[in-house]
């Protein structure tokens, strides 16, 4: 069965619960730029931390980097972006709208009645012309072409130009990689679908430098490893697929390329969330030529020097964060209750809040005990304390926020020193001593499950 389209509902939930807001909303908004609210920043930080952990901390053959957004303008000539990073554009001289020539069939004219570009009698469509997607600005006080710089359209080039710096500083031997997380900017002509395609976004990129001839072997290894990483985030395996780039799709730098696609549901369907590319020695060769600096790797043991080939894994932090939300969104009926619930079944390690703490009533020492429990848990993970309203409503609020565990303090708690842990996904409840609540939850988070039954974290 096809997955339903939940994007519109998510946009509304994201605003209501403080995941994602439209940028500069009080001024009418900025096109395709979004701000992450209190819950959203935690979720996206968790995604990024998980990537950094898997790609840098857990490996001794990948080093971290945080290169600047502004780079020497020659970088973008060498990389091919000045000449080739463009989309074909068609203007309508009548309504001033712009359309991508290659997406004209799917485009909609803004005027009413709703028609396709060219279908109104007075449409005046121009011939296609190339429009560069890089944002241009000026460095220093003078706004002339000599001072022009670009906001980087990908983080990868910061890695290529630092290849020898990192290799020499860390004494890494090929094969090894460099990874970084950072903002990238593209003046997209047809942005949209919430945070799927935006003009400002974050990439998590890794370039793995290998000896030519071993590149396809590494390409296959990284392809498999990256798919596993997405499954580890909780994305359903049947919503993930590879898409191999055909001759015409291949970027100017790529020898081989696969997209990892996620099924966003509805008409959007399967879309790229990550690219795995074999970039050959294209980038290092270009930078060597344009900078005049030798960028070869010296293999002392084998007494040879060469320009390494590069396997790149490039994933959008915002796109993956959106995928986790789409994957997690459910509208469910609850047995014995008239009102259903909206729940985000987020992976417990990604959830912005790990545990909600709820005194059943505001009397008999329950708030005091709940305060103490919350303060203890807060030392280990994000906690939300809520004593306002009926307990059912408080659970529902945390379900919508994706909080995997709820801890309730009731009249028996103050007598016996124990609490109830409620599981977001299967709604089961277990009773544990207040002191052990933190360990029990930590065990569930570490075991990557948020149900009382599945996984049997062992300590419950
Ligand atoms: N360095 C290679 C590179 O940038 P890409 O396929 O253009 O490759 C990689 O981008 C990833 O960056 C994409 O899979 C997507 O997740 C993310 N991305 C690219 N453009 C984006 C945009 N306009 N908005 C949000 N994410 C974007």
């Amino acid at each position: 069965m096809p997955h339903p389209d939940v994007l519109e509902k998510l946009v509304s939930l994201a605003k209501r619960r403080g995941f994602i807001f439209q940028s500069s909303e009080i001024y009418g908004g900025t096109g395709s730029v979004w701000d992450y609210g209190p819950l959203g920043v935690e979720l996206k930080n968790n995604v990024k931390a998980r990537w950094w952990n898997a790609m840098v901390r857990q490996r001794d053959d990948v080093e971290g980097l945080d290169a600047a957004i502004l780079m020497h303008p020659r970088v973008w000539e060498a990389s091919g972006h000045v000449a080739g990073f463009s989309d074909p554009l068609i203007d309508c001289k009548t309504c001033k709208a712009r359309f991508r020539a290659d997406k004209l069939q799917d485009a909609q004219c803004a005027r009413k009645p709703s028609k396709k570009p060219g279908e109104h009698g007075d449409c005046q469509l121009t011939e296609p012309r190339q429009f560069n997607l890089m944002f241009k600005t000026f460095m220093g006080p003078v706004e002339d072409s000599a001072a022009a710089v670009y906001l980087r359209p990908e983080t990868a080039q910061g890695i290529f130009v630092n290849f020898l710096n990192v290799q020499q500083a860390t004494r890494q031997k090929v094969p090894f990689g460099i990874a970084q997380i950072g903002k990238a900017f593209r003046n997209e002509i047809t942005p949209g679908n919430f945070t799927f395609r935006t003009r400002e976004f974050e990439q998590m990129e890794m370039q793995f430098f290998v000896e030519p001839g071993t590149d396809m072997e590494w390409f296959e290894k990284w392809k498999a490893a990256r798919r596993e990483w997405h499954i580890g985030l909780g994305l359903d395996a049947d919503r993930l697929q590879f898409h191999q780039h055909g001759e015409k799709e291949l970027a100017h730098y790529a020898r081989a390329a696969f997209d990892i696609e996620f099924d966003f549901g509805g008409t959007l369907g399967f879309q790229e969330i990550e690219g795995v590319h074999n970039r050959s020695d294209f980038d290092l060769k270009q930078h060597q030529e344009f900078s005049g600096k030798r960028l070869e790797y010296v293999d002392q043991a084998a007494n040879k020097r060469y320009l390494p080939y590069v396997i790149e894994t490039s994933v959008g932090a915002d796109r993956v964060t959106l995928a986790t939300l789409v994957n997690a969104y459910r509208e469910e009926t609850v047995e014995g209750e008239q009102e259903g619930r909206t729940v985000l079944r987020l992976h417990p390690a990604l959830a912005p809040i790990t545990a909600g703490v709820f005194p059943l009533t505001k009397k008999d020492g329950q708030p005091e005990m709940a305060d103490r429990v919350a303060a203890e848990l807060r030392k280990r993970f994000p906690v939300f304390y809520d004593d306002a309203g009926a307990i059912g409503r408080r659970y529902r609020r945390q379900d919508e926020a994706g909080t995997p565990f709820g801890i309730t303090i009731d009249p028996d708690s103050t007598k016996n020193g124990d609490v109830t842990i409620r599981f977001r996904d299967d709604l089961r409840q277990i009773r544990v001593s207040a002191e052990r609540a933190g360990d029990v939850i930590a065990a569930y988070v570490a075991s990557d499950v948020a149900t009382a039954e599945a996984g049997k974290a062992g300590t419950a």
Side-chain angles (χ1 to χ4, degrees):
M1 214 173 63
H3 291 284
D5 185 353
V6 298
L7 267 195
E8 217 168 285
K9 288 174 177 167
L10 259 184
V11 175
S12 140
L13 182 146
K15 179 175 178 191
R16 190 167 73 244
R17 299 314 316 262
F19 279 93
I20 300 171
F21 308 121
Q22 194 182 10
S23 161
S24 316
E25 192 185 355
I26 58 169
Y27 287 98
T30 320
S32 282
V33 187
W34 299 88
D35 297 338
Y36 287 80
L39 295 187
V41 66
E42 292 288 344
L43 173 62
K44 189 168 147 190
N45 278 345
N46 289 340
V47 169
K48 290 190 287 183
R50 229 172 141 85
W51 184 86
W52 192 259
N53 194 44
M55 301 296 280
V56 182
R57 296 254 173 94
Q58 296 296 315
R59 304 185 63 109
D60 59 8
D61 59 355
V62 179
E63 304 286 346
L65 181 75
D66 183 9
I69 289 172
L70 298 177
M71 301 182 74
H72 195 289
R74 293 273 286 164
V75 166
W76 305 111
E77 289 173 32
S79 67
H81 283 85
V82 170
F85 192 56
S86 50
D87 280 340
L89 254 196
I90 287 179
D91 286 295
C92 177
K93 287 186 175 162
T94 309
C95 69
K96 312 289 180 228
R98 283 184 158 177
F99 310 98
R100 263 177 70 165
D102 54 340
K103 299 269 160 81
L104 206 58
Q105 284 311 312
D106 311 326
Q108 208 64 48
C109 180
R111 289 190 292 161
K112 299 281 175 229
S114 180
K115 288 188 178 181
K116 289 195 179 306
E119 287 181 354
H120 286 281
D122 55 350
C123 284
Q124 292 185 74
L125 298 182
T126 63
E127 285 300 307
R129 62 195 172 85
Q130 291 300 323
F131 170 79
N132 196 294
L133 300 185
M134 283 196 291
F135 280 96
K136 214 177 198 175
T137 184
F138 299 97
M139 195 172 256
V142 187
E143 292 196 9
D144 68 17
S145 57
V149 289
Y150 300 98
L151 301 187
R152 65 180 177 200
E154 63 172 8
T155 61
Q157 299 303 323
I159 291 180
F160 293 123
V161 300
N162 278 298
F163 162 62
L164 276 190
N165 281 340
V166 174
Q167 190 271 319
Q168 287 163 4
T170 59
R171 295 167 51 230
Q172 282 279 3
K173 292 187 175 55
V174 167
F176 80 97
I178 305 176
Q180 73 168 329
I181 300 177
K183 290 263 182 174
F185 303 84
R186 295 182 190 178
N187 200 358
E188 302 276 6
I189 302 157
T190 48
N193 289 317
F194 199 20
T195 55
F196 178 79
R197 191 181 308 284
T198 57
R199 296 194 164 105
E200 175 179 339
F201 55 97
E202 261 182 300
Q203 287 186 316
M204 308 189 284
E205 294 200 297
M206 193 274 314
Q207 325 301 131
F208 202 74
F209 300 90
V210 304
E211 187 173 350
T214 64
D215 47 312
M216 284 317 287
E217 187 189 321
W218 279 106
F219 182 71
E220 291 303 328
K221 277 189 196 165
W222 277 111
K223 228 179 89 190
R226 292 305 305 150
R227 180 175 185 276
E228 280 311 300
W229 183 79
H230 289 285
I231 290 173
L233 282 188
L235 298 186
D236 296 340
D238 68 351
R239 295 184 84 149
L240 290 169
Q241 71 178 25
F242 282 117
H243 164 75
Q244 179 171 16
H245 284 213
E247 278 297 309
K248 288 200 181 125
E249 276 174 282
L250 279 181
H252 58 280
Y253 51 75
R255 258 189 102 202
F258 274 82
D259 292 338
I260 300 175
E261 296 184 332
F262 171 77
D263 184 357
F264 285 88
T267 50
L268 195 55
F270 277 100
Q271 296 290 338
E272 171 189 348
I273 50 175
E274 170 154 5
V276 183
H277 310 128
N278 180 345
R279 293 180 75 127
S280 71
D281 58 358
F282 174 84
D283 305 86
L284 290 180
K285 206 188 254 169
Q286 290 290 102
H287 287 304
Q288 182 165 267
E289 187 186 323
F290 277 68
S291 69
K293 298 273 176 350
R294 282 185 98 163
L295 296 177
E296 286 165 332
Y297 169 72
V298 181
D299 183 342
Q300 280 165 341
N303 193 25
K304 57 183 178 185
R305 52 195 311 152
Y306 56 84
L307 279 181
Y309 271 30
V310 170
I311 307 305
E312 168 183 76
T313 70
S314 175
V315 53
D318 308 85
R319 233 177 242 189
V320 173
T321 301
L322 180 61
T324 64
L325 286 169
V326 169
N327 193 80
Y329 185 91
R330 303 273 194 294
E331 285 169 7
E332 296 176 348
T333 49
V334 180
E335 213 182 303
E337 286 185 28
Q338 282 212 317
E339 261 182 63
R341 66 169 185 163
T342 300
V343 56
L344 290 181
R345 288 171 170 254
L346 288 168
H347 184 295
L350 293 187
I353 301 166
T354 309
V357 175
F358 317 111
L360 201 56
T361 61
K362 290 187 190 176
K363 54 183 190 190
D364 301 332
Q366 290 173 36
E368 291 78 6
M369 182 173 172
D371 263 341
R372 284 196 301 279
V373 169
E376 256 330 288
L377 294 179
R378 231 174 243 129
K379 293 177 189 163
R380 305 173 70 166
F381 26 69
V383 166
F384 188 81
Y385 180 96
D386 191 359
D387 62 7
I391 190 70
R393 290 216 173 277
R394 286 184 263 166
Y395 287 152
R396 296 291 170 265
R397 284 199 285 264
Q398 289 312 303
D399 288 343
E400 265 200 342
T403 306
F405 308 103
I407 297 187
T408 313
I409 285 87
D410 57 26
D412 286 340
S413 302
T414 49
K415 280 187 226 133
N416 307 329
D418 53 10
V419 298
T420 297
I421 299 181
R422 168 195 181 265
F423 292 79
R424 174 199 67 199
D425 291 352
D426 57 10
L427 299 175
R428 288 173 60 107
Q429 307 200 347
I430 57 172
R431 198 80 183 169
V432 300
S433 75
E435 287 93 65
R436 284 187 59 233
D439 286 342
V440 171
I441 289 175
Y444 275 102
V445 173
S447 72
D448 287 354
V449 289
T451 57
E453 280 302 287
K456 301 265 189 235
T459 47

